[in-house]
Amino acid sequence: MTDADVHALYTYFMKGVAPVDTPAPVTALPFPFSLRISMAFWNALYLHDVRFKDDPSKSAEWNRGAYLTTVLGHCDACHTPRNTLMAEDNDRAFGGAQLGAWYAPNISSDPVSGIGGWSDTEIVQYLKTGHVDGKNQAAGGMAEAVQNSLQFLSIDDLHAIATYLKSTHPIRSAGETVATFSMGSVGSSADAESGWRGLRGSESNQPLPSGAALYSGNCASCHGIHGEGSKALPGINAGVQAYPSLIHNTATGAGNPSNLIATILYGVDRKVGDNAVLMPAFGRGSYVSQLNDQEVADVSNYVLTTFGNAAVHVSAHDVAVARGGGPRPLLAIVQPYILPLIGAAVALIVLLAVAFGIARRRKAR
């Protein structure tokens, strides 16, 4: 960061934020993450302690966008995949990465897998509002970023970010040949819709029989029976598509269904200016309808095959993993075995040393 920005933050925290006396949470990291010294080895491998410098061959807008994106906004922290030791894989910068149950999508300049097919105006609109018709809508961590940060940036700064992102190295995700937001409806639910209504009473304890019925009962009233979405009421969020279309939507058109599953489980909640966007969660504790893993899988597959990428399939296991916080990184999976392995290695070294000492004594005799 620049000295001016560090000074501005310091002044804000010292003079603009009221002190709050809150007990510090107890750190309970497991071994070896509990050893602060272990960071010294990680830093030696991956920490590049170099301050940001403008590239004189680029425009002022590009340099401002690079600074906002990679320094202040650290967009790469979420959107860049990581290696085995959880360092950013800069060879695939902005190529998309799993973040718990959610997936931070590819935002490189690739026109198929990334945002190369987006106009600068669309990128600015998304960063400012969290929504672009026919493209995407912010949920999860991105909704937080829009609500708490990006919406407050100036239009010039948002255009600078768009300029920088459109210049990044294009990263093509494996197997993708059609832009995720170009995926269209492959069928129609109109004929079946009326047949599902009234089959289960509000007090019925019988599960709905299919993904189509689940969609009809839980989703169609907002997203439409054809997945076309619905406009806001007159005078409320005027001109904004309150419930987005499921056609031409990255959540339904992507090769990775994580965001579709997570949206169903955890819902959407963001506020931009005076406009609030809310989709209820259908996971545990839902105040609308608590769906089990198989039901979430069934409605996901119906949405994918009817409105999005029919080549993608969701299983009940996929939903269970998302409900549990998402896929675990390899480093977290092997963590319970690190201490026993270290103990075994130390014991082996001790045994070898003892054996070597005995051998030397026998040879000396």
Side-chain angles (χ1 to χ4, degrees):
M1 293 174 60
T2 64
D3 289 345
D5 282 343
V6 172
H7 184 267
L9 281 173
Y10 177 82
T11 302
Y12 170 70
F13 285 127
M14 296 302 292
K15 298 183 178 181
V17 179
V20 179
D21 186 9
T22 304
V26 177
T27 301
L29 291 172
F31 179 88
F33 311 123
S34 57
L35 302 178
R36 189 177 295 271
I37 189 63
S38 65
M39 285 304 302
F41 300 99
W42 194 93
N43 288 341
L45 291 171
Y46 300 115
L47 178 63
H48 304 292
D49 193 12
V50 179
R51 297 185 65 176
F52 177 85
K53 294 182 180 179
D54 284 349
D55 184 342
S57 68
K58 303 292 186 180
S59 67
E61 182 180 55
W62 185 95
N63 280 298
R64 177 63 176 170
Y67 178 69
L68 290 168
T69 302
T70 63
V71 182
L72 291 185
H74 46 266
C75 305
D76 48 335
C78 290
H79 291 274
T80 295
R82 294 177 180 267
N83 63 20
T84 303
L85 294 181
M86 300 305 292
E88 292 177 22
D89 181 358
N90 290 317
D91 289 337
R92 296 185 291 160
F94 304 110
Q98 193 75 36
L99 290 174
W102 299 90
Y103 184 77
N106 187 329
I107 57 170
S108 74
S109 64
D110 188 83
V112 171
S113 301
I115 58 174
W118 293 42
S119 68
D120 286 7
T121 300
E122 287 174 328
I123 296 174
V124 169
Q125 179 185 335
Y126 181 75
L127 296 175
K128 190 74 173 178
T129 68
H131 177 84
V132 176
D133 285 349
K135 291 287 196 300
N136 200 2
Q137 56 285 320
M142 191 62 194
E144 294 177 6
V146 171
Q147 174 174 306
N148 299 321
S149 177
L150 295 172
Q151 66 167 310
F152 302 109
L153 293 183
S154 68
I155 294 299
D156 287 343
D157 278 348
L158 294 177
H159 271 288
I161 292 175
T163 296
Y164 174 74
L165 289 176
K166 292 290 287 288
S167 75
T168 58
H169 178 69
I171 303 295
R172 178 66 56 86
S173 300
E176 291 188 352
T177 57
V178 180
T180 57
F181 55 82
S182 296
M183 290 292 181
S185 176
V186 296
S188 172
S189 60
D191 294 337
E193 169 65 19
S194 60
W196 295 119
R197 296 179 180 174
L199 291 184
R200 295 292 188 275
S202 60
E203 301 300 323
S204 173
N205 60 2
Q206 297 298 317
L208 290 171
S210 68
L214 285 163
Y215 180 84
S216 173
N218 296 285
C219 315
S221 60
C222 293
H223 291 288
I225 60 174
H226 300 288
E228 71 276 16
S230 58
K231 296 290 184 181
L233 295 173
I236 304 176
N237 296 357
V240 176
Q241 191 169 33
Y243 298 99
S245 168
L246 300 180
I247 306 166
H248 300 166
N249 185 314
T250 56
T252 60
N256 185 327
S258 293
N259 288 344
L260 175 60
I261 298 170
T263 299
I264 296 171
L265 287 176
Y266 303 112
V268 178
D269 187 4
R270 70 175 185 271
K271 184 176 182 181
V272 177
D274 295 328
N275 296 331
V277 176
L278 175 67
M279 171 183 156
F282 291 88
R284 294 189 184 96
S286 171
Y287 60 83
V288 180
S289 178
Q290 186 169 301
L291 303 181
N292 62 36
D293 293 346
Q294 188 60 57
E295 288 171 330
V296 173
D298 288 344
V299 73
S300 296
N301 289 323
Y302 174 77
V303 167
L304 288 167
T305 56
T306 309
F307 308 124
N309 188 349
V312 176
H313 179 77
V314 175
S315 68
H317 174 72
D318 296 331
V319 179
V321 170
R323 199 188 293 271
R328 298 176 66 202
L330 179 61
L331 195 60
I333 294 174
V334 303
Q335 179 276 323
Y337 309 103
I338 293 178
L339 187 57
L341 286 174
I342 292 176
V346 171
L348 179 62
I349 292 173
V350 171
L351 288 174
L352 290 174
V354 171
F356 180 73
I358 292 174
R360 288 192 62 184
R361 287 182 181 181
R362 286 180 177 176
K363 185 176 180 179
R365 288 176 183 176

